[in-house]
């Protein structure tokens, strides 16, 4: 919860839940469900990664979160093209912000020195 990118992803998820309330009823199982699932997945992957014991695992989950943001963008554009909501530019801009924050965090983590784990004789 201390990560700004996690808080930004949570805010995006809440906003996307609100947006999809206006989608057609027949899309509840389609785009609405997919968008909501993806929105939650971004924040979930960030939290999951932060709880992992290794940088490698954390980075892998941040990569997954980035991919899910691309999925969100695709679904937003499809919803727009199908006439399911208002102008999605604000949500697309928010996904870009979270994407940039993820990239910055990934760069920061990659630069951190790896902490050596004690060997059997040191433990």
């Amino acid at each position: 919860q201390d990560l700004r990118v996690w808080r930004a992803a949570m805010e995006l998820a809440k906003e996307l839940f609100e947006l999809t309330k206006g989608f057609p009823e027949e899309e509840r199982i389609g785009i609405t469900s997919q968008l909501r699932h993806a929105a939650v997945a971004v924040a979930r992957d960030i939290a999951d990664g932060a709880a992992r014991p290794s940088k490698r695992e954390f980075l892998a989950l941040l990569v997954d979160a980035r991919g899910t943001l691309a999925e969100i963008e695709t679904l937003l554009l499809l919803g727009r093209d199908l006439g399911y909501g208002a102008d999605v530019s604000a949500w697309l801009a928010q996904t870009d912000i979270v994407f940039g924050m993820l990239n910055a965090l990934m760069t920061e983590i990659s630069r951190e020195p790896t902490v050596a784990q004690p060997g059997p004789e040191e433990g």
Side-chain angles (χ1 to χ4, degrees):
Q1 295 178 9
D2 293 335
L3 293 173
R4 286 182 324 145
V5 67
W6 179 83
R7 290 192 305 268
M10 288 290 287
E11 188 59 35
L12 176 62
K14 289 186 273 186
E15 291 173 8
L16 290 174
F17 268 70
E18 285 300 313
L19 169 69
T20 56
K21 284 180 181 178
F23 281 16
E25 186 64 34
E26 67 267 14
E27 281 303 330
R28 293 283 178 226
I29 298 174
I31 293 175
T32 298
S33 176
Q34 291 177 39
L35 250 176
R36 288 177 173 189
H37 178 79
V40 170
V42 173
R44 183 196 64 227
D45 284 346
I46 295 166
D48 188 7
R52 297 296 176 123
S54 76
K55 287 186 347 180
R56 184 177 186 169
E57 289 175 291
F58 192 6
L59 286 170
L61 283 157
L62 294 178
V63 168
D64 288 349
R66 238 179 17 179
T68 304
L69 280 171
E71 179 183 350
I72 289 170
E73 288 180 347
T74 300
L75 291 165
L76 284 170
L77 291 170
L78 180 59
R80 179 201 64 196
D81 292 351
L82 294 171
Y84 290 167
D87 180 15
V88 296
S89 59
W91 291 282
L92 291 171
Q94 184 63 22
T95 61
D96 286 344
I97 290 168
V98 175
F99 195 88
M101 293 172 81
L102 282 170
N103 283 339
L105 180 58
M106 291 170 69
T107 299
E108 181 181 327
I109 292 169
S110 296
R111 289 183 181 157
E112 291 176 359
T114 303
V115 177
Q117 298 296 321
E121 64 283 348
E122 301 173 84

